[in-house]
Amino acid sequence: MTHPLSVCPPPTRRQLLQAAGLGGALGLLPAWARSAPASGIAHPDHDPFTLAVASGDPQPDNVLLWTRLTPPARWLGQADAPQLPALTVRWELAHDPGFRRIAASGQTRALPEWGHAVHVQVNGLAAGRRYFYRFMQGDATSTTGHCCTAPAPGAAVQRLRLAFASCQRWEHGHYAAWRSVVQDQPDLVLFLGDYIYEYAQPAKTEGLARPQPLRTARTLQDYRDRYALHKSDPLLQAAHAQCNWSVIWDDHEVENDYAADQGLGDATAFLARRMAAWQAFYENMPLRAGALQRSMQGLQLYRSLHWGSLARFHLLDGRQYRSPQACRTPGKADSGSVHADRCPELFDPARSFLGREQEAWLGRQLQADSRHRAKAARWSVVAQTTLFTARRRPSGTQSTDSWDGYPAARQRLTRQIADAAPHNSVLLGGDIHQNYVCAVPTLVDRPLDKDNPVLASEFCGTSISSRSGTTQDKVDALRAHNPQVLLARCEERGYSLVDITPQTLRTQLRAVADPLNADSPVYTLAQFVVENGKAGPVAA
């Protein structure tokens, strides 16, 4: 499918095959070629680009290119593996997949203290342009990637296609969803957390899609190995090479249900573990150097992206600054839910999901969205990690790790949206391994009715592969108890595909037929549309 109205159209199939230099080894999936093993690298018996390539947040005048050099696969998970030295890596950015018209080129160093990761920001580029890129080390050449610069500020863009996804536990399923994403040819992928899972493989392997040999991740090398495992998947690699990605994190990049500086076990040990996990996240994601802050005491992940006059995206960090879950026993895992009437801490207005500094920043961004509304039909999209809409359970319990566990903070955000009144507010989320489509009320914790009208739309996507942990009967009962929930499904794995024009935002919930099959087909489970100037999604 082509994008005739896009500022930055995707490459044609012919261009992808030209970039690859060979036919489609994975059916309709474009094949991305690598060179033969090189003789000019530190270890000539392997390909140093086994983790392939990626590009990051699209900006009008620059692109961010990423790769990470790896040692031989036989060293994966070995504590005594020899260390690669610092290596020089060359890069090229071209207008064509054959690299005959070079737009920019240069070289950089891949340092062992940063896991031999390479983050190259190429400046001075034209807005709304398509480029191809690759890396070279010695005689080895990486996969060819495709990226775009964003449209110029205020440009009258007529279309944007994006995919958003989360939660891709290796053992639970294959990554067939990423093959479908490549075929959909999005302009942008938003990944909303749980890129890896820190767990060792369960003792009971029945029903798992594929084994993994790694122990529970705790050290920097553990996390590096975990990313190397996930990134070895050819379908995930192809999705990264297809277009720009914008990424945020959730909990499993460190430890299940951690909150700011609180995790399980010894506090000092947890902080060391968190630091290791955060460094590995930076090393393995297409993030700019500006994401580093305070000598790696954290990563600046909340940020805004602009797509001409069509859309503004606000990506949030729901882990680094949040208050601990209410009624949680220190040093123990979050219980998952509490009875609201037995936990007054739940409603403490001082508690925050985002942290007060990020809350204030988001308020300023929403006000800026509002100031732009007179220029064009503009969409204001808040991309964060989990389900935002309130879910009143028949049992009277409240989830403590999602926004349900931070009701005062959630109402502050809806008040910010209402006060700023940006055109066409939409929230995106993940984390819960279920598909939800919701009409967000103005008073978010009260039932949707004529006195509590729809303020915004929400699409919370299911997981790429991680199991849901509940049943459809339970989800159906919850939906019946919440009129603001238009669709709720727990049985499917997949992603969401969003097409944005000045008139509509159309979301397809894309589902994998069989998560245990790497060649599984993908189908559209449901489709909803939000019309310009009309709050709330409707079935299409």
Side-chain angles (χ1 to χ4, degrees):
M1 183 175 182
T2 60
H3 292 237
L5 300 180
S6 296
V7 166
C8 186
T12 65
R13 175 170 171 77
R14 180 174 178 273
Q15 287 174 317
L16 294 178
L17 294 177
Q18 184 180 356
L22 54 106
L26 292 167
L28 294 178
L29 184 68
W32 304 88
R34 298 186 181 93
S35 70
S39 59
I41 60 176
H43 297 275
D45 60 339
H46 85 288
D47 175 3
F49 296 111
T50 57
L51 304 187
V53 299
S55 58
D57 297 351
Q59 299 291 340
D61 61 351
N62 69 81
V63 295
L64 187 285
L65 309 179
W66 172 92
T67 192
R68 181 182 157 220
L69 307 185
T70 54
R74 64 179 180 272
W75 294 347
L76 182 66
Q78 300 299 312
D80 58 349
Q83 180 73 274
L84 288 177
L87 297 169
T88 297
V89 179
R90 307 185 309 280
W91 56 269
E92 292 179 335
L93 185 78
H95 295 286
D96 67 293
F99 289 85
R100 290 179 295 273
R101 294 187 295 128
I102 301 296
S105 62
Q107 65 181 36
T108 188
R109 297 282 280 172
L111 303 176
E113 56 264 37
W114 288 101
H116 293 92
V118 174
H119 298 78
V120 175
Q121 182 170 311
V122 185
N123 297 314
L125 302 176
R129 296 290 181 87
R130 179 178 67 224
Y131 295 97
F132 297 87
Y133 65 95
R134 64 186 179 185
F135 297 90
M136 290 82 70
Q137 202 286 310
D139 294 331
T141 302
S142 75
T143 297
T144 294
H146 167 258
C147 64
C148 282
T149 50
V157 184
Q158 296 300 303
R159 182 170 184 172
L160 168 65
R161 166 168 281 193
L162 66 89
F164 71 91
S166 64
C167 305
Q168 49 185 16
R169 186 165 178 177
W170 180 268
E171 307 97 298
H172 283 187
H174 290 283
Y175 293 168
W178 289 124
R179 175 191 285 108
S180 182
V181 169
V182 172
Q183 294 168 355
D184 289 332
Q185 298 187 355
D187 303 298
L188 178 67
V189 168
L190 301 179
F191 196 85
L192 304 183
D194 294 344
Y195 191 98
I196 63 166
Y197 279 69
E198 79 281 19
Y199 303 129
Q201 180 170 286
K204 294 182 179 179
T205 60
E206 182 180 358
L208 297 182
R210 47 188 172 177
Q212 61 97 350
L214 302 178
R215 63 186 182 185
T216 297
R218 298 188 184 279
T219 69
L220 177 57
Q221 191 58 51
D222 290 341
Y223 285 105
R224 286 171 173 169
D225 290 343
R226 193 61 58 110
Y227 282 101
L229 173 71
H230 284 65
K231 285 177 170 290
S232 70
D233 188 282
L235 305 181
L236 177 57
Q237 289 186 2
H240 271 296
Q242 172 70 34
C243 65
N244 301 69
W245 279 46
S246 293
V247 299
I248 52 178
W249 58 23
D250 195 24
D251 54 342
H252 288 290
E253 285 85 359
V254 180
E255 177 185 85
N256 183 44
D257 287 350
Y258 88 94
D261 60 354
Q262 293 195 18
L264 301 181
D266 177 74
T268 301
F270 171 72
L271 291 179
R273 180 184 187 183
R274 186 187 68 170
M275 185 61 62
W278 284 0
Q279 177 171 337
F281 184 84
Y282 175 76
E283 291 175 352
N284 286 279
M285 293 294 113
L287 295 168
R288 286 176 168 77
L292 297 171
Q293 57 177 334
R294 298 190 301 275
S295 301
M296 263 306 296
Q297 295 302 308
L299 291 176
Q300 177 67 51
L301 291 187
Y302 65 85
R303 60 205 188 274
S304 291
L305 304 175
H306 305 166
W307 200 263
S309 64
L310 183 63
R312 287 165 56 93
F313 297 91
H314 311 301
L315 282 73
L316 305 184
D317 180 348
R319 283 293 161 186
Q320 189 173 178
Y321 315 106
R322 69 156 67 187
S323 304
Q325 294 89 346
C327 300
R328 175 177 179 174
T329 302
K332 293 187 178 181
D334 176 37
S335 62
S337 63
V338 297
H339 281 274
D341 58 356
R342 302 174 192 169
C343 182
E345 178 189 353
L346 194 75
F347 304 98
D348 183 351
R351 299 178 65 250
S352 177
F353 190 85
L354 302 174
R356 291 301 181 137
E357 182 177 331
Q358 187 177 187
E359 282 189 19
W361 169 86
L362 180 57
R364 294 192 296 271
Q365 301 308 305
L366 295 173
Q367 289 290 341
D369 290 355
S370 182
R371 290 194 296 271
H372 284 286
R373 66 181 298 180
K375 297 182 180 179
R378 179 181 292 275
W379 297 85
S380 176
V381 181
V382 175
Q384 46 86 50
T385 55
T386 191
L387 182 68
F388 182 80
T389 298
R391 290 181 295 176
R392 287 169 294 278
R393 297 178 178 179
S395 64
T397 60
Q398 290 275 92
S399 166
T400 55
D401 192 60
S402 71
W403 281 97
D404 277 343
Y406 300 80
R410 177 169 55 194
Q411 190 58 61
R412 286 196 297 271
L413 199 160
T414 53
R415 190 176 302 117
Q416 286 177 322
I417 294 174
D419 291 345
H423 213 129
N424 303 324
S425 296
V426 178
L427 295 107
L428 307 179
D431 175 57
I432 61 173
H433 312 169
Q434 302 168 45
N435 279 306
Y436 270 77
V437 179
C438 304
V440 182
T442 303
L443 299 175
V444 67
D445 289 311
R446 297 184 184 179
L448 180 68
D449 57 33
K450 62 182 180 62
D451 297 319
N452 188 21
V454 178
L455 176 68
S457 305
E458 180 176 22
F459 300 95
C460 183
T462 189
S463 61
I464 287 288
S465 59
S466 306
R467 294 171 179 166
S468 69
T470 188
T471 66
Q472 191 59 45
D473 286 345
K474 292 180 180 179
V475 171
D476 288 341
L478 193 150
R479 182 189 172 198
H481 206 61
N482 293 270
Q484 71 276 15
V485 176
L486 308 182
L487 177 142
R489 295 284 305 179
C490 76
E491 296 178 341
E492 292 81 18
R493 314 277 68 80
Y495 65 100
S496 298
L497 184 67
V498 183
D499 285 295
I500 304 175
T501 72
Q503 293 77 36
T504 60
L505 184 146
R506 184 177 299 270
T507 299
Q508 298 179 51
L509 309 180
R510 303 280 284 152
V512 176
D514 181 6
L516 300 183
N517 179 5
D519 298 318
S520 174
V522 174
Y523 64 96
T524 298
L525 171 69
Q527 189 170 181
F528 285 78
V529 64
V530 182
E531 296 183 9
N532 174 41
K534 297 181 180 179
V538 295

